[in-house]
Structure formats: C-alpha cells, structure tokens
Amino acid sequence: MSIKNHLKSLSFFKMQEASVIIVAMIGRKLEALASRYNLIAKTNFDFYQRQNVSIKRIKNDNLLSFISKLSGKKISFKIRRKTTDIVIFDEILLNGEYLPAVQICRENKIHPAVIIGSSVIFFKDVFPHAEIICIEPEKTIFFS
C-alpha cells in the first residue's frame, strides 16, 4: 500500500487514534525484525538475572553461569542464540529435570562411573567422580 493510501486511511480517524495506529504499525515492523528465539531468550535472560544467573555475551553466543543448588559449585553453560539450547539449560540445569534419576541413584547407593550424553553438566555436578563421555555432533556448541 502506498504512503498516500495509508495517509488517506488514517484521515478517517481522530488524530490520537491515528497516532496510536502509526506507533502500532511501526512496532509490528520492528517486532518482525527480532527473531522468535531472541525474543524468548530476552524473556529468559530477564528471569535468569532475578535467579542470580550470570550472563555474558561471547560473539554470537552467551555463557550462562550460576551456583548449583546441589553441589554449591559454579556451573557454566554456553548457549547459541537462535537455537533451542536455552530450553535445554532451563529443563536440565535450572528446573532439575533429572532430579528423580539422582534420587533413585542415591536411594539405591548407585554411583555412576561413566556419564554419557547431553545431561553431562548436570550429572557431573551431582556425581563429580564419574568419567565423562559426551558426543557432541554440533561443533559450535562444544567448548572446554
């Protein structure tokens, strides 16, 4: 639609209404520029700051660090923006998705010697003496 047609359409509204419509249209245009993943990350980052999670930007990624409630040790986790890494951080490290497995291990006096998979950071915090075997096919997520 041309600017001329936009202005004509806006002339059918009171000045205050037309102003609000213009601001809303600009807002929609700007919102379309932000990726859905970045908007989700922004919301999560707001929450993390209230939870004493340290957030650092490293090029196009972020490093999230916090003190584990289980071990009292500092845990760091790299997330790549515009991916689902932030969901994994929430589920495993902040929300303790694997806590039932830890409870079963403790109740049955099971002390894993080897830990495999994406849950490594969580389980290494709980079982610090276990050997880590982690296969990470995505080169951009691995860091030591």
Side-chain angles (χ1 to χ4, degrees), residues 50-114:
R50 292 190 304 272
Q51 301 298 314
N52 295 319
V53 174
S54 167
I55 305 165
K56 292 182 182 172
R57 184 170 57 91
I58 304 171
K59 296 182 182 178
N60 295 324
D61 302 322
N62 292 96
L63 185 66
L64 308 179
S65 302
F66 67 101
I67 302 300
S68 167
K69 293 175 185 169
L70 295 169
S71 69
K73 297 176 187 170
K74 181 179 178 180
I75 294 180
S76 295
F77 190 82
K78 177 181 148 188
I79 63 163
R80 298 162 297 153
R81 287 194 299 274
K82 298 183 181 181
T83 70
T84 58
D85 292 351
I86 203 161
V87 174
I88 300 300
F89 177 79
D90 276 348
E91 289 176 353
I92 296 174
L93 297 173
L94 284 188
N95 296 330
E97 185 172 291
Y98 294 124
L99 282 174
V102 171
Q103 188 171 0
I104 290 169
C105 287
R106 287 181 173 163
E107 288 172 359
N108 293 293
K109 296 184 171 101
I110 298 170
H111 304 285
V114 177

Side-chain angles (χ1 to χ4, degrees), residues 39-57:
L39 292 173
I40 291 169
K42 162 63 170 90
T43 301
N44 286 21
F45 289 172
D46 291 343
F47 172 75
Y48 297 159
Q49 290 179 78
R50 292 190 304 272
Q51 301 298 314
N52 295 319
V53 174
S54 167
I55 305 165
K56 292 182 182 172
R57 184 170 57 91

Side-chain angles (χ1 to χ4, degrees), residues 58 63 76-78 121 132 136 139-144:
I58 304 171
L63 185 66
S76 295
F77 190 82
K78 177 181 148 188
I121 293 173
I132 295 177
E136 180 52 67
K139 187 177 183 178
T140 62
I141 198 169
F142 179 80
F143 76 103
S144 53

Side-chain angles (χ1 to χ4, degrees), residues 2-16:
S2 72
I3 292 178
K4 184 178 176 180
N5 287 339
H6 274 301
L7 292 174
K8 184 176 180 183
S9 295
L10 289 171
S11 70
F12 302 122
F13 296 91
K14 293 189 283 184
M15 181 60 95
Q16 182 182 4

